[in-house]
Every structure is written in structure tokens, then in C-alpha cells.
């Protein structure tokens, strides 16, 4: 019940999309959708998603393996640094790259920027799974004569496959919905076409009709991931304090491996940092005052916190249902949360403007409607974290506690909560930092007169006041880095 | 399942108060509430113009009038879409937009109230709505921007139509998703007919026009020598000079105004309209009056480098006077056939 209600709320934008597309009339829909351009754009979006997802999987899994399972020098340091690019919004990274490298435009540059910003979606869950997995199976494999590397390929990777698939799905959906990087680096994708239709001639209907294609693409991707997940079993560590995972000696590859991780960090973090510093030094515009920056930062923190907590409230029933009562219904609800995730923020924003005006007027232009937008956009991030945590706390523990005479409330407090709380906290942190970076929906739904770091950044860059924008960008990345750091430390890296 | 519910309820008890607290903290950022009543000394403005350009002048107005102005900033397209989506329930009293096309679109939907005649009398008739639903606040001319080291002055085009010629191959930057470019294309259609406009767009594309996301980007690339020329609005060069702490004539990017009524020198406006619910609100009228006062107009002339539209206010140094420009004779009210323009731009492969 609670799960269905939560998912229903997350599907408000999709319902709006259906209604508005229906109003457009069949001929208009056919006119908009069945064109060569739509086919080209859809193909390019999918190609970009495929390239970025593959690259993110390679980097994410590679980095996770290096920091959790090898004798890499400065492992802990790299564990944190590898997660930090999650704090860099793609529009900041894209902007940094085009102002650093001449003629930085087109498909491959966009793929590079998107990969550098989103590989942590794979790195974090895989690092957590690798650090927390039970070494027993690997030990069995080794004792039966398989070598270290073969064991890793055949046993370990298989153990963490669900984490890889979940992270890869998030990356793929993120790429479909991204506007920041693709618009700055100039590659025509589906989401860019939606924004263009919307900006060109205020064509809302055209933009919304195009969005239905994204929904279809998303459903296909979700279906694809589902087939890999169905075969993935859970590997929970039962009982006792965890044993440290087996670490493989890298030998001669130790320093090259460290150099590779350093290179990724330089590209993902160093380039934006250097560009911001240069902008600040070159320009003469300055942000209004420290008070203005502080207010924007405070607002960013407050709306993101409201968004993250509301998202978590909605995610809990869905996540626990998936973990505790798996079945077709749970799977369906879980998958449905992803549908709105790949919609561009501007579509979510407009649909909630419509929803706020016509259904929930008292909430219109309040923080709550904005929080709801964040929840519909980022629900899958939170559901994944809750489900993952709950799955790692085997129901057997609760059953044992019950059989020993403890009441359900006490079992919850002494068994379930301590086991799932870290997952809940991690999910909240992830949603929180993602909310901070969100821009299009925030512009449409924020209370009138309220500025956040992201909106201030947008304001100043739209008038070429890059030096004034730099402190907002730096603060945005800095604040988003705090929850990212928490996530990476928790990941056991 | 019971556990799921239990955990949820428990967690909600912990999380919800926290969420409420966060929401309340955020709500403080939005502070005063506009009751929407006329004469309550509070007005809500939807601004399609950037905060850094508009906020200072609105603050001055607040100080002088003792009113509170609540402003919602976004892109002009986004704000127009939001107002249309909100319809009669829009909290907005005034829409301050960056081009006549957006104002026309909102007026077409019947959401604006006609402005009082004394407001309209301040601005020349060619810079306002025929039926008085919006009024121009400042003027902005389309120009041909070029890098002075890359294009000799003698080679500058006489007409925007020259740009489809071989000497400009792969040299012209355009921003077709930008409202000002679209207004220019609509003007082409009005002045020369659809066939010629289409021919121009297709020619531009075939000639290797370089598509950019915004005018700012074009001017920046011209100034950095990454792009030779581009079709933009006149004030971007001044804005970027200001950011660099130099004057416009120290910039590598220079302006060339087309002459002889060429469509390439279209003068568009940034303007404002009052929404129906504020039709009789003296506060809303007071703000429009202020924007058209000598003080308001002087601000725009000197800070945003646009053309003041009210007589007697001088333009920024370094700019040719508005009445010295040989702008094409085009009625801005005729620029409301954006749908056709957009279709044409798309068909030409420019967006």
C-alpha cells in the first residue's frame, strides 16, 4: 500500500506527460515523432548512453577493485578521490573542458565529460560490494586450484554483478536525461532536442511529445537490466565480524595502477578546479556579497535536505518491499521508480507546475513541491540503497530474534534498524548531493525569490559574469563533496 | 511486509520532523508573501531577464517606493511557458521578457491586461503592442560581430544576405535556439517573404554556419579568435568588456551595424506586460512607470548597454544613437508567427 502510494506520487510527471501528449492529438504526435531527425537523435542518445556506460563500468569496476582488493599504494586516499567527481555537476565540468581545450565539441568529448562525472555511480556500489562481500567463496575457489586472477574473474565479479548492473543502469539513465554537458559540448541528443523544442518558440507540446520517446527508451533499458538482475543472487555475509577481503599483490603494476587513478582524478577534478581558478583570476565581476553566497548555500542545503528526506520517506516502503517480499509486484514497483528518472528536469518541472496549479495549489511554489520534484527524479537512487542494505541483513536474523521471544518492535529496534540504517544514510546522502546539482526543475519550482547555489551559478554564467559565478561553482562542488566523502568512506574503500 | 510497514512508520517518525525543519529553513529564504491584492505594496514579477541585470534596478524601485518586489528569474522561454501553464492562477503580476516574441505569445493567450494610455505614451508606437498589452522597455539591435584581426573592415558585408556567399564559408556563428535569432528570421519572413527567408536559412546552413548555444558564446569565441564572425545582439560585446575590466573598443570583437534597412539590423525590445489579475493594481503600474522613468532608463543604458526607448535619455558611450541606426521598417507585432519560423529553422537543419 505505502509502496504503491509512493510510486504513484513518483509517476505524477508521467501521467501529466500522457495527458498532454493525448491532448496534442494523433496527427501532431505522428508529425513530431516519426521523422528522420527523431530516429537520428534517439540513435545518438542510445549510442552515447552505451559508450558512457561501458566506460563508466570499466573505470568504476577497475577503480573499485584496485582500492578494495589490491595492495595499491594510498588505497584510502584513492577510495575517496575516486568518488569525488560525483560532486561535480556536468555543466560545470563541460564548461571547464570547453574553456580548457580548443574545439572541444561533439560526441566523444561529451562522452568523456559524462564518463568523468558519472563513473562514481558504478564505483561506489561496486566498491561497497567488494569490501563487504564474504571471502568464503573465493577461498573455496582458490583452494580448488584456481589462480587469484581467475578467481576474481569467475567468482568475485559474479558476486558483485548486481551492483555493477544497478550502477550501470543509473549511468545509462543519467546520460539519457543529461542536458548540461551535451548542450555545452554541443552534441545533439534527445534531451537537448527536448530543451530546444521548449526554448524554440515556447513549444511545450512538441517538447512533451518528444519526451514520451525517452520514457520508451527508459522502459527498454530497465527491461534489459532486469534480465541481468534476475539471475543475480544475493551474497550476504551472515554473522560475526566481517573478515577483511583477500587482497591481491599488484607487484610491478602497483605504481602504474596508482598513476592511472591519478590520471582519472586529474581529468575529473583537476580540470574543473583549474578552470574555476582561472575564471576567478581573469574576470572582474564579483558576487554581490558574502551574505548572498551564504544565503544561497543555506538554501541549497535546506532544499536538498528536504528533497533527500522526502525521497527517503517515499523510498523506504518500496526498498523494504523489494528486499523482504520480492515478487512480481515488488519488482514492478521498483522498476516504475526509474521511469521518471530519465526524464529531463524541465519536463518534471513543468508537470509539477501543472500539478501544483491544478491539484495541490497551496503547495505551489513552496519548498515541498520542489522536494517532490527531487523525489520523483531521484527515487531510484534511494530505493536502491535501502533495498541493498535490507538485503544484506538476512531476514533469518529477525526470525531468530522473534523465536527467542522478542516482540516485533524490539526486533526492529535491535536488529533491523542497526542493519539498515547505514543504507538509509547512504541513500539520503546520495540523493542529497544529487539534489544540490539539479538545475532545470529547481528553476521552475523554487519559491519565488529563493536562490540556490545552482540557480546563482546559472544566473551569472548567463550574463558572462564568469568570475562572479566561480565562487558559487566552487562552493557547490565543495558542499556536494561532503556527502560524497561520507559515501566513499562508508563504502569501505 | 509487516516489517516493511513498521520500519517505514518508525523511520517516518524520525525523518519527517527533520524534513519539516529543512523545509521551514528553506521557506525563510522565500520570506514575504504576496497576498495578490491590489495596492498591498507587494508585487510579483516573472523575469525572463537575468538577475544580475535586473535586480539592481528593482532594488532601487523598492527603496524609493517602499514596496516589496518578489522576483522569479528564469529564461524568457521558461517564464513564458510557466505563465501559460499557470493561466489564470499565475502568482505573477508582471512579466518582464527579453523579446517581443515571448510577450506576443503571452498576449495571444489573452493573459495580459491592456496598459494605461499614459504608460504607452512614453514609448514610440513601434516599440509596443498594437493593442497595448505590452510595452518595450529597452531596445536591442541585431549586429554582425567580427574579430578585427580576422576580418578586414573593407570586407564587411553590406547585407545579411551576403553571408551565404563563398567568402563567408565556415565563418559565421549563429545561435538558432536563441529568441533573438528567431525574431530576426521572422523579420526576414515579414520583410522578404517565406521563400526568400527559407532560401537564406538553407544557404546559411550549406555555407557551413557554425551553430552555438548562445550569443554570449559566439561573442566570446570571436573575441578569442576561435570564430571569425557571428550574428548577435549589440550589447554582448559591452557585457564581456565589462567582465574583463576593459572598454568595448579594446575588445577584439567589434560590431558592424547593417545599413539601409537591412533585416540584419532589426531592433527588437525587452519589454513588460501586466497580467490580468493586476490590471488595476497601482503597484504594478508604479513599477512599469519606474522602468520607463529617466532613472530606470538611464540604468539600462549604462549597465546593460541597451537602447533606452524613452526620449531624452542618452545611450551608453561608444554606441551609435538609436535613431541613427538604419533599422528595417518592421512592426514588432508582426513577429508573432514564431511557429512558422521555428519550423523553417528546423527544416533548414539549423536546430
Amino acid at each position: 500500500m505505502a509502496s504503491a502510494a509512493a510510486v504513484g506520487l513518483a509517476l505524477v510527471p508521467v501521467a501529466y506527460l500522457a495527458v498532454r501528449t493525448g491532448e496534442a492529438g494523433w496527427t501532431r504526435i505522428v508529425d513530431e515523432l516519426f521523422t528522420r531527425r527523431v530516429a537520428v537523435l534517439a540513435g545518438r542518445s542510445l549510442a552515447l548512453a552505451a559508450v558512457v556506460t561501458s566506460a563508466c563500468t570499466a573505470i568504476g569496476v577497475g577503480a573499485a577493485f584496485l582500492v578494495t582488493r589490491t595492495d595499491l599504494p594510498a588505497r584510502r586516499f584513492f577510495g575517496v578521490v575516486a568518488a569525488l567527481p560525483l560532486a561535480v555537476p556536468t555543466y560545470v565540468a563541460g564548461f571547464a573542458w570547453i574553456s580548457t581545450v580548443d574545439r572541444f565539441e561533439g560526441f566523444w568529448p561529451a562522452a568523456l565529460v559524462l564518463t568523468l562525472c558519472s563513473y562514481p555511480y558504478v564505483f561506489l556500489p561496486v566498491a561497497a560490494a567488494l569490501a563487504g562481500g564474504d571471502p568464503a567463496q573465493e577461498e573455496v575457489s582458490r583452494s580448488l586450484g584456481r589462480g587469484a586472477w581467475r578467481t576474481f574473474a569467475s567468482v568475485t565479479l559474479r558476486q558483485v554483478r548486481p551492483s555493477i548492473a544497478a550502477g550501470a543502469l543509473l549511468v545509462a539513465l543519467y546520460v539519457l536525461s543529461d542536458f548540461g554537458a551535451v548542450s555545452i559540448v554541443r552534441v545533439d541528443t534527445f534531451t537537448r532536442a527536448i530543451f530546444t523544442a521548449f526554448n524554440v518558440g515556447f513549444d511545450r507540446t512538441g517538447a512533451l511529445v518528444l519526451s514520451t520517446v525517452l520514457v520508451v527508451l527508459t522502459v527498454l533499458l530497465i527491461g534489459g537490466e532486469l534480465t541481468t538482475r534476475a539471475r543475480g543472487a544475493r551474497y550476504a555475509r551472515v554473522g560475526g565480524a566481517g573478515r577483511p577481503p583477500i587482497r591481491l599483490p599488484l607487484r610491478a603494476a602497483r605504481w602504474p595502477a596508482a598513476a592511472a587513478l591519478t590520471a582519472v582524478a586529474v581529468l575529473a577534478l583537476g580540470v574543473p578546479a583549474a578552470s574555476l581558478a582561472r575564471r576567478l583570476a581573469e574576470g572582474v565581476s564579483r558576487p554581490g556579497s558574502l551574505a548572498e553566497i551564504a544565503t544561497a548555500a543555506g538554501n541549497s542545503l535546506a532544499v536538498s535536505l528536504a528533497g533527500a528526506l522526502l525521497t527517503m520517506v517515499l523510498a523506504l516502503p518500496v526498498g523494504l518491499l523489494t528486499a523482504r517480499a520480492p515478487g512480481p509486484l515488488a519488482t514492478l514497483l521498483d522498476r516504475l521508480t526509474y521511469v521518471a528518472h530519465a526524464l529531463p528536469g524541465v519536463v518534471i518541472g513543468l508537470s509539477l507546475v501543472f500539478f501544483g496549479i491544478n491539484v495541490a495549489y497551496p503547495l505551489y511554489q513552496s519548498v515541498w513541491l520542489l522536494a517532490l520534484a527531487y523525489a520523483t527524479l531521484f527515487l531510484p537512487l534511494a530505493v536502491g540503497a535501502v533495498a541493498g542494505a535490507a538485503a544484506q541483513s538476512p531476514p533469518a536474523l529477525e526470525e531468530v530474534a522473534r523465536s527467542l521471544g522478542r516482540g516485533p518492535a524490539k526486533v526492529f529496534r535491535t536488529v533491523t534498524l542497526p542493519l539498515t540504517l547505514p543504507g538509509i544514510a547512504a541513500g539520503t546522502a546520495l540523493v542529497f548531493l544529487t539534489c544540490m546539482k539539479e538545475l532545470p526543475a529547481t528553476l521552475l519550482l523554487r519559491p519565488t525569490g529563493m536562490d540556490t547555489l545552482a540557480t546563482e551559478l546559472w544566473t551569472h554564467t548567463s550574463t558572462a559574469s564568469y568570475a562572479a559565478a566561480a565562487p558559487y561553482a566552487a562552493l557547490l562542488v565543495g558542499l556536494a563533496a561532503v556527502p560524497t566523502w561520507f559515501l566513499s568512506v562508508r563504502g569501505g574503500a | 511486509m509487516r516489517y516493511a510497514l513498521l520500519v517505514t512508520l518508525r523511520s517516518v517518525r524520525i525523518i519527517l520532523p527533520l524534513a519539516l525543519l529543512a523545509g521551514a529553513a528553506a521557506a525563510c529564504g522565500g520570506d514575504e508573501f504576496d497576498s495578490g491584492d491590489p495596492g498591498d505594496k507587494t508585487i510579483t514579477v516573472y523575469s525572463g531577464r537575468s538577475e544580475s541585470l535586473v535586480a539592481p534596478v528593482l532594488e532601487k524601485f523598492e527603496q524609493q517606493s517602499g514596496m516589496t518586489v518578489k522576483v522569479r528569474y528564469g529564461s524568457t522561454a521558461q517564464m513564458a511557458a510557466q505563465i501559460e501553464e499557470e493561466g489564470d492562477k499565475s502568482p505573477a503580476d508582471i512579466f518582464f521578457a527579453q523579446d517581443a516574441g515571448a510577450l506576443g505569445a503571452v498576449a495571444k493567450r489573452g493573459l495580459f491586461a491592456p496598459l494605461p494610455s499614459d504608460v504607452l505614451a512614453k514609448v514610440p508606437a513601434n516599440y509596443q503592442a498594437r493593442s497595448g498589452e505590452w510595452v518595450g522597455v529597452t531596445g536591442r539591435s541585431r549586429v554582425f560581430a567580427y574579430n578585427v584581426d580576422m576580418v578586414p573592415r573593407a570586407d564587411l558585408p553590406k547585407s545579411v544576405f551576403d553571408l551565404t556567399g563563398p567568402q563567408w564559408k565556415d565563418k559565421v556563428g549563429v545561435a538558432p535556439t536563441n529568441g533573438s535569432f528567431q525574431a530576426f528570421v521572422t523579420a526576414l519572413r515579414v520583410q522578404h517573404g517565406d521563400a526568400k527567408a527559407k532560401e537564406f536559412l538553407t544557404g546559411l546552413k550549406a555555407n557551413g554556419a557554425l551553430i552555438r548555444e548562445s550569443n554570449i558564446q559566439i561573442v566570446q569565441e570571436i573575441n578569442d579568435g576561435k570564430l571569425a564572425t557571428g550574428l548577435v545582439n549589440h550589447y554582448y560585446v559591452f557585457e564581456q568588456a565589462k567582465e574583463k575590466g576593459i572598454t568595448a573598443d579594446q575588445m577584439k570583437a567589434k560590431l558592424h551595424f547593417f545599413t539601409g534597412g537591412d533585416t540584419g539590423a532589426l531592433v527588437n525590445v525587452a519589454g513588460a506586460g501586466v497580467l490580468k489579475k493586476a490590471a488595476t493594481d497601482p503597484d504594478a503600474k508604479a513599477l512599469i512607470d519606474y522602468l520607463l522613468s529617466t532613472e530606470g532608463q538611464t540604468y539600462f543604458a549604462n549597465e546593460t548597454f541597451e537602447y533606452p526607448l524613452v526620449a531624452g535619455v542618452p545611450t551608453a558611450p561608444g554606441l551609435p544613437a538609436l535613431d541613427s541606426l538604419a533599422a528595417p521598417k518592421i512592426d514588432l507585432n508582426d513577429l508573432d508567427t514564431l511557429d512558422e519560423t521555428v519550423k523553417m529553422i528546423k527544416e533548414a537543419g539549423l536546430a
Side-chain angles (χ1 to χ4, degrees):
Chain A
M1 261 297 289
S3 325
V7 174
L9 211 51
L11 288 180
V12 166
V14 182
Y16 166 82
L17 207 56
V19 170
R20 291 300 296 264
T21 310
E23 277 175 12
W26 192 241
T27 43
R28 176 82 202 266
I29 296 174
V30 172
D31 270 6
E32 285 283 348
L33 290 188
F34 296 93
T35 64
R36 204 177 146 261
R37 180 165 171 266
V38 167
V40 169
L41 290 177
R44 192 173 299 134
S45 278
L46 284 177
L48 191 62
V51 169
V52 174
T53 308
S54 313
C56 284
T57 307
I59 298 179
V61 174
F65 166 72
L66 287 175
V67 300
T68 56
R69 293 295 181 92
T70 67
D71 58 349
L72 181 83
R75 270 195 319 273
R76 280 177 189 285
F77 169 75
F78 280 118
V80 174
V81 167
L84 281 182
L86 201 56
V88 183
T90 55
Y91 45 84
V92 171
F95 198 74
W97 277 92
I98 62 160
S99 54
T100 306
V101 182
D102 270 359
R103 305 213 168 279
F104 191 81
E105 58 182 73
F107 186 90
W108 294 103
L112 175 69
V113 171
L114 285 167
T115 301
L116 290 174
C117 289
S118 44
Y119 80 84
Y121 281 120
V122 177
F123 169 78
L124 281 169
V126 174
L130 284 174
D134 193 337
Q137 290 205 359
E138 290 160 337
E139 285 163 2
V140 170
S141 166
R142 292 293 294 275
S143 71
L144 291 175
R146 280 192 188 170
W149 293 101
R150 262 190 78 203
T151 297
F152 176 76
S154 59
V155 177
T156 319
L157 269 187
R158 196 167 297 197
Q159 277 184 355
V160 298
R161 194 172 59 191
S163 306
I164 299 175
L169 178 65
L170 287 180
V171 171
L173 295 181
Y174 180 75
V175 173
L176 285 185
S177 72
D178 178 74
F179 174 67
V182 298
S183 70
I184 293 172
V185 185
R186 285 196 288 282
V187 52
D188 249 331
T189 64
F190 220 88
T191 296
R192 177 148 180 245
I194 290 169
F195 271 79
T196 303
F198 179 74
N199 280 322
V200 172
F202 324 109
D203 180 13
R204 282 166 300 152
T205 313
L208 293 172
V209 169
L210 285 177
S211 303
T212 56
V213 175
L214 272 187
V215 174
V216 173
L217 292 182
T218 309
V219 170
L220 290 178
L221 278 178
I222 294 170
E225 192 258 359
L226 205 54
T227 56
T228 74
R229 190 181 272 198
R231 284 175 283 125
R234 278 186 249 128
Y235 297 89
R237 182 209 303 267
V238 180
R243 282 176 297 149
I246 307 166
R247 291 191 192 278
L248 301 175
L250 287 171
R251 300 200 180 90
R254 257 185 113 209
W255 293 103
L261 288 184
T262 310
V264 171
V266 167
L267 294 179
L269 301 169
V271 170
S275 156
L276 284 180
R278 208 171 48 239
R279 289 286 179 191
L280 194 59
E282 276 175 7
V284 296
S285 65
R286 291 288 174 261
S289 62
L290 274 180
E292 227 167 69
I293 301 179
T295 311
N299 285 336
S300 267
L301 293 174
V303 294
S304 304
L305 187 60
L309 295 174
L310 179 66
T311 310
M312 198 34 86
V313 169
L314 295 178
L316 273 172
V318 188
L320 291 172
L321 185 73
T322 344
R324 285 291 181 265
L329 175 71
T331 309
L332 177 71
L333 288 177
D334 175 47
R335 301 286 100 173
L336 281 177
T337 62
Y338 282 85
V339 175
H341 187 59
L343 285 176
V346 67
V347 172
I348 303 282
L350 262 191
S351 77
L352 288 182
V353 166
F354 183 81
F355 177 75
I357 283 284
N358 293 301
V359 182
Y361 195 66
L363 289 183
Y364 187 57
Q365 292 186 358
S366 75
V367 177
W368 299 111
L369 205 61
L370 182 56
L372 182 61
Y374 291 150
T376 59
L377 275 167
F378 308 131
L379 196 54
L381 302 178
V383 169
V386 175
Q392 287 213 328
S393 67
L397 291 184
E398 289 157 7
E399 283 154 19
V400 168
R402 287 299 300 278
S403 73
L404 293 174
R406 285 194 178 169
K410 198 163 184 197
V411 170
F412 170 80
R413 207 174 61 241
T414 54
V415 181
T416 317
L417 194 61
L419 288 171
T420 47
L421 208 54
I424 294 175
T428 311
L430 183 57
V431 175
F432 177 81
L433 81 96
T434 318
C435 290
M436 288 201 52
K437 299 188 290 178
E438 208 286 334
L439 180 62
T442 311
L443 277 178
L444 278 169
L445 294 170
R446 63 184 163 149
T448 297
M450 192 187 77
D451 291 317
T452 68
L453 292 172
T455 66
E456 287 282 15
L457 184 55
W458 170 82
T459 297
H460 290 295
T461 47
S462 65
T463 51
S465 314
Y466 302 116
Y472 293 104
L475 200 55
L476 178 57
V477 174
L479 286 177
V482 176
T484 313
W485 173 79
F486 165 74
L487 283 170
S488 65
V489 170
R490 183 196 155 264
Chain B
M1 193 57 230
R2 268 225 326 270
Y3 274 118
L5 199 62
L6 192 65
V7 175
T8 305
L9 288 177
R10 284 286 176 133
S11 316
V12 166
R13 270 174 51 190
I14 304 167
I15 292 174
L16 210 59
L18 277 174
L20 283 168
L21 209 66
C28 294
D31 52 10
E32 309 89 349
F33 180 73
D34 182 4
S35 69
D37 298 328
D40 65 355
K41 293 272 172 199
T42 305
I43 41 176
T44 302
V45 176
Y46 277 22
S47 173
R49 312 204 53 191
S50 180
E51 180 166 6
S52 42
L53 300 182
V54 170
V57 76
L58 294 179
E59 274 163 27
K60 272 193 194 166
F61 169 73
E62 281 184 312
Q63 281 164 15
Q64 290 187 9
S65 63
M67 288 186 205
T68 306
V69 183
K70 303 204 62 183
V71 204
R72 199 172 177 79
Y73 293 100
S75 73
T76 291
Q78 216 167 44
M79 289 292 110
Q82 185 152 10
I83 288 177
E84 289 188 19
E85 202 70 36
E86 291 169 346
D88 295 339
K89 287 187 185 161
S90 177
D93 297 308
I94 289 177
F95 178 33
F96 193 4
Q98 231 169 44
D99 84 304
L103 291 164
V106 174
K108 238 184 186 173
R109 288 282 299 258
L111 297 168
F112 280 145
L115 292 164
S117 52
D118 65 302
V119 169
L120 296 170
K122 290 178 186 167
V123 171
N126 51 334
Y127 298 128
Q128 55 182 258
R130 206 174 288 134
S131 43
E133 286 142 321
W134 55 262
V135 62
V137 173
T138 50
R140 33 193 45 213
S141 176
R142 292 292 293 173
V143 292
F144 180 74
Y146 64 100
N147 181 301
V148 72
D149 295 339
M150 298 165 83
V151 180
R153 225 172 265 268
D155 291 357
L156 288 172
K158 299 275 173 295
S159 158
V160 75
F161 287 104
D162 295 350
L163 299 179
T164 56
Q167 68 272 37
W168 299 108
K169 190 156 180 49
D170 302 325
K171 281 187 179 161
V172 185
V174 288
T177 55
N178 188 276
S180 332
F181 181 82
Q182 291 157 23
F184 154 70
V185 174
T186 315
L188 272 182
R189 293 176 44 230
V190 171
Q191 211 178 4
H192 299 281
D194 281 9
K196 186 134 191 223
K198 194 165 185 174
E199 190 192 311
F200 171 75
L201 291 177
T202 328
L204 208 56
K205 170 77 181 174
N207 211 20
L210 299 151
I211 296 170
R212 295 292 179 265
E213 198 67 26
S214 68
N215 287 319
I216 294 181
Q217 214 174 0
I218 294 177
V219 172
Q220 199 166 6
E221 289 188 21
I222 292 175
N223 200 53
D224 295 346
K226 294 179 189 169
L227 192 63
T229 74
L231 289 172
V232 292
N233 292 340
H234 77 268
Y235 47 87
Y236 292 102
V237 169
F238 291 82
E239 264 181 14
Q240 283 182 24
K242 188 165 138 190
E243 169 71 4
K244 290 176 188 295
I246 57 179
T247 59
D249 40 279
Q250 291 169 289
M251 294 274 286
K252 289 280 178 208
K254 301 280 177 209
L255 299 186
H256 169 58
F257 291 82
F258 289 107
T259 54
D262 192 86
T263 326
L266 174 75
V267 175
N268 200 339
V269 295
V274 172
L275 283 110
K276 275 194 170 148
K277 68 174 246 244
T280 58
D281 189 341
D283 304 344
K285 183 175 181 292
L287 176 55
I288 305 268
D289 279 335
Y290 182 76
L291 294 176
L292 298 175
S293 69
T294 307
E295 193 176 314
Q297 293 280 298
T298 307
Y299 167 83
F300 285 112
N302 296 334
E303 299 298 322
T304 70
F305 310 101
E306 291 168 292
Y307 284 108
L309 294 181
V310 173
V313 181
T315 51
L319 265 182
L322 183 57
D323 47 18
S324 76
L325 298 182
K329 301 241 171 313
I330 283 173
D331 189 340
L332 293 178
N333 289 283
D334 293 336
L335 300 184
D336 63 353
T337 54
L338 206 53
D339 291 354
E340 278 304 305
T341 298
V342 167
K343 216 170 143 201
M344 205 177 268
I345 292 175
K346 278 188 191 161
E347 278 167 9
L350 287 169

